[in-house]
Amino acid sequence: MNITGLIEQIQPLDQAAMRAARGRQNQLTKPAGSLGRLEELSIQLAGIQRKPLPAIKDKAVIVMAGDHGVTAEGVSAYPQEVTPQMVLNFLAGGAAINALARHAGARVVVVDMGMTNEIDTSRFKRDLLIRRRVGAGTMNLAQGPAMRREQAEESIQSGIEVALTEISNGADILGTGDMGIGNTTPSAAIACALMKLPPEKIAGRGTGVDDDGLQRKISAIARGLAVNQPNADDGLDVLAKVGGFEIGGLAGVMIGAASKRAPVMVDGFISTAAAMIAVTLAPQCREYLIAAHRSKENGHALMLEWLGIKPLLDFDLRLGEGTGAALGISMAEAACKVLSEMATFSEAGVSQVVE
Amino acid sequence: MNITGLIEQIQPLDQAAMRAARGRQNQLTKPAGSLGRLEELSIQLAGIQRKPLPAIKDKAVIVMAGDHGVTAEGVSAYPQEVTPQMVLNFLAGGAAINALARHAGARVVVVDMGMTNEIDTSRFKRDLLIRRRVGAGTMNLAQGPAMRREQAEESIQSGIEVALTEISNGADILGTGDMGIGNTTPSAAIACALMKLPPEKIAGRGTGVDDDGLQRKISAIARGLAVNQPNADDGLDVLAKVGGFEIGGLAGVMIGAASKRAPVMVDGFISTAAAMIAVTLAPQCREYLIAAHRSKENGHALMLEWLGIKPLLDFDLRLGEGTGAALGISMAEAACKVLSEMATFSEAGVSQVVE
C-alpha cells in the first residue's frame, strides 16, 4: 500500500456513533455537559472508533528516535550521544516515559528511525528495539536539505507500518513520543515553513539551551529556511528539507492510525510538528488527533491553533518521549469509562431537571 | 481531641524531604524541571508525607452529602430529592465518581452529613453509607443562619473523624467530593463572606440554572450575607451562617488529613469553599491541599487565587462528587512514580548537560 492510497482510505468521523454517544452522555446521571472535556473526548472517540461506546483497553506509546545533523550548529544543551543512551534507558525501563506509560497501563514501543550509530542491544534478554533506520542521522538543515525526498517518504512509510502493526496487535489508541538530541530545531523549522512565521516566534529553549544557544538555534532555522525554500503546500518537501527521520515516522504513525480508525494522542512540540506534516499530507487525519498537552516550548500553542486541536493538559512539560501522551491516554480512557460505566437517570431512578 | 488541639498539631511541610526530592528530580534522566507540574507535585508530596520518595498507593475519595434549606429560594435546576437518589447511585456504583474513582484505583467513601431524610440502604448487601448526620438539612440561609454554631463545629469534627479513620485504614491521599442539591449557593456565599466580594462576582449556574435562577441565587446570597453578617475572621461563624453540613465536613477532612500529614486533592467549587473554611480555621493546612482543577463555575478561579493554590486540570468540569479529585489523584500518583521509578543519569549511563 503506497502512502497516497492509504491517505485516500481515511474516513471522516462516524456521525451516527457520535450522536449516540452524545445522546447517552445526556442520559447519564449528571447534568448534561457537566463533565466538560471528558464528554467531548468520549464523543470524539466514539466517532473515531465508530462505536457508540468507545473503549480504550490496549494502549501503546510509540517512541521514535533519530539524530540531527543540525546539532553541529550548537542548538542543544546535550551532546548527541544522549540519543542512543536514552534509547537504551527506554529499553531498560528507566526513563520518564516508562514510568508514565506503566502508570497509564500502556506499552512503550521504541523505534530507531535513524540514529547516527546503530546501538548494541545485546545486554537485553529480548531485543525490543524496532529498527527502521532511514539513515545515520539527518544532514545539517542549516546548510541544505536534511534528507532526500525518498528518505522523507520512507520515514512516513515506516511510521505507517509501525502503526498498522501495533493496531493489528490490538492497540485501541496510539500515543506518540520522540527522542532525538536537537529535534526541537527541525520541529520549529517545520512549523515556521508551514505557518510562514519567522523562527523567533516558534523556537524555544528545548531541553534548556541558554540565550546564546537560542540565538544559534534561531539563526540555524533562518538559514535553513533561506537555503532550502521548503514548499508549504508539499508536506514531503518540508519534511525532507527541514525535518527529521523520527518526525516523519511520527507523521506516518498518525496517518496509519487514522486509516484504521484509531485515535492518536499527540505529545508535545516534536509530535505536534509531525502532526502538521501529517495534516498537510492528509487533512482528514486531523480529526483523529488529540493534543495531550500544551508544552512550555515557545510556539507550541500557535502550532496547536494552526492544527485546530485543543490541548488537554497544561503542565509545563518540555520533555517529549511521549510523557504528555501517556498522561493524556489515561484521560481518554477515563472519558470512555464515564460513557460506558455510568448509570442513566432511568436506570438509577434519579429525577431530571425541573422544566 | 478537640478541633483546636488538632489544628495545633499541623506541622509545616518537611523541608529536608522536599530538598531530597528536588535533588533527586535533578538527577533523573531528563532535563531538570522538564516534567513541570509533575515535578512540583512530587516535591510537595515529599514535604507532606515527610518522605524523599512519597508514595500514593491507597487512595480514597470522600464524598459528603447534605441538603440545603436555601433550595426554597429556587436556586437549583434539580429538585432536592436528587440528593438521596444520587447517594444511592454512589452506593450502587453508577455515578461519575464511581467510574472515575475506579479508573484511579480509589475507593469511594460516602457520608451522609445531613440530608433532609434518612435513606433506606437495605437493598445493598453491605451498608457502606457512613452516617454522620448533623441535622435534617440546613435552614434557609437567605432568611437566617443555615445552622447553629455547635452544628458547624460538629460537622467539622465529623469530617476530621472520617479522615482519621480513612488514614488509619491506610489511605495515602484523600480526595474530596460533595453531593447536595443547592450547594453551590452556600459555597458562593462562603466565598463572598471570606473574600468580601458581591455575589455576582462568584455565583454561577451550578448544575445549570437559567438566567432567572441565577438572579434568584444572587439575590438569596445577598440577602443571606445582609441578614447574617458573617464574620470573615471566624471560619465557624461563616460556616454556621451561610454554609452547609457537607461543606463543614469537607473542611474537617482537610484539617484531619493535614494533622496526619496526608495530602488532600481538592475537587471543584464546593470543595474549594470548604478549603477556604479550613484555611480560615487552620492556615497551616493550606500546604497540604492540591487543587485538582479549575471548574467552569464563576468565581472558582478567584477562590483558588485567594487560597494560593494552582489547579492541575482545566477541563470545564462542573459536576462535583469528587470527579475532578479522582483525576487529580491519578496525576499525583504519576508524579510519585516518576520520582521513585526513574533511573538517574549515573544509573543509566546517560551524559549530562554540556557546561
Side-chain angles (χ1 to χ4, degrees), chain A:
Chain A
M1 169 77 60
N2 64 26
I3 297 173
T4 315
L6 198 94
I7 286 172
E8 284 168 2
Q9 286 187 0
I10 301 175
Q11 300 294 314
L13 301 199
D14 184 328
Q15 295 299 318
M18 293 174 81
R19 270 194 304 276
R22 191 177 290 111
R24 183 172 162 83
Q25 281 288 10
N26 294 343
Q27 286 305 310
L28 297 176
T29 45
K30 59 176 174 51
S34 62
L35 283 177
R37 294 298 305 276
L38 287 187
E39 295 193 27
E40 291 169 19
L41 197 47
S42 73
I43 294 165
Q44 182 184 4
L45 289 164
I48 291 173
Q49 293 189 350
R50 306 190 86 162
K51 291 175 190 165
L53 294 179
I56 289 180
K57 289 178 180 166
D58 191 328
K59 299 153 262 181
V61 179
I62 299 177
V63 188
M64 295 191 146
D67 275 317
H68 299 272
V70 73
T71 51
E73 304 287 334
V75 294
S76 178
Y78 286 82
Q80 205 176 55
E81 71 205 36
V82 167
T83 306
Q85 288 169 347
M86 283 302 298
V87 166
L88 290 168
N89 197 16
F90 298 155
L91 296 171
I97 185 54
N98 301 106
L100 291 172
R102 280 191 295 266
H103 179 62
R107 59 182 184 276
V108 178
V109 177
V110 188
V111 187
D112 177 1
M113 288 297 300
M115 292 188 283
T116 300
N117 297 303
E118 292 201 51
I119 62 172
D120 174 8
T121 54
S122 58
R123 70 165 152 127
F124 298 103
K125 265 188 213 160
R126 289 174 60 204
D127 183 356
L128 293 174
L129 180 65
I130 298 174
R131 291 171 173 81
R132 304 292 313 222
R133 297 171 56 77
V134 180
T138 56
M139 308 291 282
N140 183 350
L141 68 86
Q143 299 181 348
M147 65 186 91
R148 288 174 282 110
R149 187 175 176 93
E150 308 85 72
Q151 288 179 303
E153 211 161 339
E154 184 188 337
S155 71
I156 287 176
Q157 185 73 41
S158 293
I160 289 172
E161 287 167 16
V162 169
L164 298 187
T165 300
E166 288 309 316
I167 292 166
S168 73
N169 286 345
D172 299 311
I173 190 167
L174 300 181
T176 64
D178 69 284
M179 181 67 223
I181 294 302
N183 68 5
T184 57
T185 298
S187 299
I190 288 169
C192 291
L194 292 175
M195 298 167 76
K196 298 176 180 160
L197 285 176
E200 52 274 24
K201 294 268 185 203
I202 299 291
R205 292 180 187 274
T207 48
V209 287
D210 57 16
D211 288 348
D212 287 351
L214 181 58
Q215 283 315 311
R216 288 193 296 272
K217 191 167 168 176
I218 288 171
S219 158
I221 296 168
R223 282 177 285 138
L225 295 170
V227 73
N228 285 300
Q229 297 288 325
N231 173 4
D233 298 324
D234 181 352
L236 272 179
D237 189 63
V238 174
L239 175 62
K241 286 177 171 164
V242 299
F245 300 141
E246 79 280 36
I247 299 172
L250 292 172
V253 166
M254 295 174 201
I255 291 169
S259 78
K260 292 291 179 192
R261 314 199 67 93
V264 179
M265 189 62 70
V266 179
D267 196 39
F269 194 71
I270 284 86
S271 288
T272 302
M276 294 174 76
I277 296 289
V279 165
T280 301
L281 293 169
Q284 63 279 42
C285 86
R286 191 184 66 84
E287 299 183 302
Y288 290 82
L289 307 180
I290 303 161
H293 73 108
R294 176 166 44 227
S295 87
K296 209 171 168 164
E297 189 71 1
N298 253 30
H300 191 215
L302 293 172
M303 292 157 70
L304 290 170
E305 269 174 44
W306 184 91
L307 280 167
I309 57 179
K310 196 173 141 195
L312 289 171
L313 303 174
D314 197 353
F315 271 24
D316 289 340
L317 305 178
R318 54 180 174 82
L319 177 55
E321 298 181 4
T323 46
L327 295 172
I329 283 174
S330 180
M331 294 294 158
E333 187 179 349
C336 291
K337 286 179 174 172
V338 161
L339 186 60
S340 59
E341 295 181 10
M342 275 184 72
T344 62
F345 281 104
S346 61
E347 282 165 2
V350 174
S351 307
Q352 296 205 47
V353 176
V354 191
E355 300 286 359

Side-chain angles (χ1 to χ4, degrees), chain B residues 114-129:
Chain B
M115 293 189 282
T116 300
N117 297 302
E118 292 201 50
I119 62 171
D120 175 8
T121 55
S122 58
R123 70 166 153 124
F124 298 104
K125 266 189 213 160
R126 288 176 60 205
D127 184 355
L128 293 174
L129 180 65

Side-chain angles (χ1 to χ4, degrees), chain B residues 3 62-68 83-84 87 90 109-119 128-139 146-147 150-163 177-180 183 239 243-254 270 274:
Chain B
I3 298 173
I62 299 176
V63 188
M64 295 191 145
D67 275 318
H68 298 272
T83 306
V87 167
F90 298 154
V109 178
V110 188
V111 187
D112 178 1
M113 287 297 301
M115 293 189 282
T116 300
N117 297 302
E118 292 201 50
I119 62 171
L128 293 174
L129 180 65
I130 297 174
R131 291 173 173 82
R132 304 292 315 221
R133 298 172 55 76
V134 181
T138 56
M139 307 291 282
M147 66 186 90
E150 308 86 72
Q151 289 180 304
E153 211 161 338
E154 184 187 338
S155 70
I156 287 175
Q157 185 72 41
S158 294
I160 289 172
E161 288 167 16
V162 169
D178 69 283
M179 181 67 224
N183 69 4
L239 175 62
F245 300 140
E246 79 280 37
I247 299 172
L250 293 172
V253 166
M254 297 173 200
I270 285 85

Side-chain angles (χ1 to χ4, degrees), chain B residues 41-60:
Chain B
L41 197 47
S42 73
I43 293 164
Q44 183 184 3
L45 290 164
I48 291 173
Q49 292 189 351
R50 307 191 83 161
K51 292 176 189 164
L53 293 179
I56 288 179
K57 290 177 180 167
D58 190 328
K59 300 153 260 181

Side-chain angles (χ1 to χ4, degrees), chain B residues 99-351:
Chain B
L100 292 172
R102 280 191 295 266
H103 179 61
R107 59 182 184 276
V108 178
V109 178
V110 188
V111 187
D112 178 1
M113 287 297 301
M115 293 189 282
T116 300
N117 297 302
E118 292 201 50
I119 62 171
D120 175 8
T121 55
S122 58
R123 70 166 153 124
F124 298 104
K125 266 189 213 160
R126 288 176 60 205
D127 184 355
L128 293 174
L129 180 65
I130 297 174
R131 291 173 173 82
R132 304 292 315 221
R133 298 172 55 76
V134 181
T138 56
M139 307 291 282
N140 183 351
L141 68 86
Q143 299 181 347
M147 66 186 90
R148 287 175 282 110
R149 187 175 175 93
E150 308 86 72
Q151 289 180 304
E153 211 161 338
E154 184 187 338
S155 70
I156 287 175
Q157 185 72 41
S158 294
I160 289 172
E161 288 167 16
V162 169
L164 297 188
T165 300
E166 288 310 316
I167 292 166
S168 72
N169 286 344
D172 299 311
I173 190 167
L174 300 181
T176 64
D178 69 283
M179 181 67 224
I181 294 303
N183 69 4
T184 55
T185 298
S187 299
I190 287 169
C192 292
L194 291 175
M195 298 168 77
K196 296 173 183 165
L197 285 175
E200 52 274 23
K201 294 268 185 204
I202 299 291
R205 291 179 187 276
T207 48
V209 287
D210 57 16
D211 289 348
D212 287 351
L214 181 57
Q215 282 315 311
R216 287 193 296 272
K217 192 167 168 177
I218 288 170
S219 159
I221 296 167
R223 282 178 285 136
L225 295 170
V227 72
N228 285 301
Q229 297 288 326
N231 173 4
D233 299 323
D234 180 353
L236 272 179
D237 189 63
V238 174
L239 175 62
K241 285 176 173 165
V242 299
F245 300 140
E246 79 280 37
I247 299 172
L250 293 172
V253 166
M254 297 173 200
I255 291 169
S259 78
K260 292 290 179 190
R261 314 198 67 93
V264 179
M265 189 61 71
V266 179
D267 196 39
F269 194 72
I270 285 85
S271 288
T272 303
M276 294 173 76
I277 295 288
V279 165
T280 301
L281 292 169
Q284 63 278 44
C285 85
R286 192 183 66 83
E287 298 182 302
Y288 290 81
L289 307 179
I290 303 161
H293 73 108
R294 175 166 45 227
S295 88
K296 210 172 168 164
E297 189 72 0
N298 253 29
H300 191 215
L302 293 172
M303 291 157 69
L304 290 170
E305 269 174 43
W306 185 90
L307 279 167
I309 57 179
K310 196 171 142 198
L312 289 171
L313 304 173
D314 196 354
F315 271 25
D316 289 340
L317 305 178
R318 53 179 176 82
L319 178 54
E321 298 181 4
T323 46
L327 296 171
I329 283 174
S330 180
M331 295 294 157
E333 187 179 348
C336 291
K337 286 179 174 172
V338 161
L339 186 60
S340 58
E341 296 181 11
M342 276 184 72
T344 62
F345 281 103
S346 61
E347 283 165 1
V350 174
S351 307

